[in-house]
Amino acid sequence: MEDVMKRLNYQPSSLTNYELENPENVIECFFENYSIHEIRENLWELYKSWTYHDSEYTDTGEIRAMILFYTQIIGFLNASFITTEKRKEAQ
């Protein structure tokens, strides 16, 4: 766990000690505050604005990396949502 904390705290974490011990609660709270469809839409809007504002200054490799990142974030969100819903059903 010490190695995980070192990697997490490379950049300061805004998580409390409780949240560090119970990250599933943070994920659950996130999905309680935002619907999965709203999250996807907001993420798409962020991606579109990045593309619009930085398209003149980026190369194709950076654009590919952002598309891959976007795709992986959507997959992560979907998997997190499913995990959260399964956890609720099991309780």
Side-chain angles (χ1 to χ4, degrees):
M1 186 67 171
E2 186 176 327
D3 181 52
V4 171
M5 295 305 291
K6 284 180 185 178
R7 286 186 285 152
L8 175 68
N9 290 319
Y10 176 73
Q11 297 287 326
S13 171
S14 61
L15 298 176
T16 65
N17 287 337
Y18 175 80
E19 292 168 334
L20 289 170
E21 294 296 321
N22 302 284
E24 62 280 352
N25 292 343
V26 177
I27 296 168
E28 187 175 307
C29 181
F30 179 75
F31 288 110
E32 287 174 358
N33 289 311
Y34 302 98
S35 71
I36 188 70
H37 301 292
E38 181 182 3
I39 296 165
R40 288 188 202 121
E41 185 177 316
N42 288 341
L43 185 59
W44 178 247
E45 291 301 319
L46 285 171
Y47 176 76
K48 283 191 330 186
S49 67
W50 173 83
T51 304
Y52 177 75
H53 291 291
D54 288 344
S55 62
E56 293 180 31
Y57 309 105
T58 57
D59 60 16
T60 56
E62 191 172 350
I63 291 170
R64 274 192 225 116
M66 279 300 275
I67 291 170
L68 177 60
F69 179 74
Y70 171 82
T71 303
Q72 289 179 323
I73 288 289
I74 291 295
F76 172 78
L77 288 168
N78 291 339
S80 298
F81 179 75
I82 291 166
T83 301
T84 301
E85 291 302 306
K86 283 183 174 181
R87 185 171 176 239
K88 285 180 188 176
E89 289 175 4
Q91 291 178 348

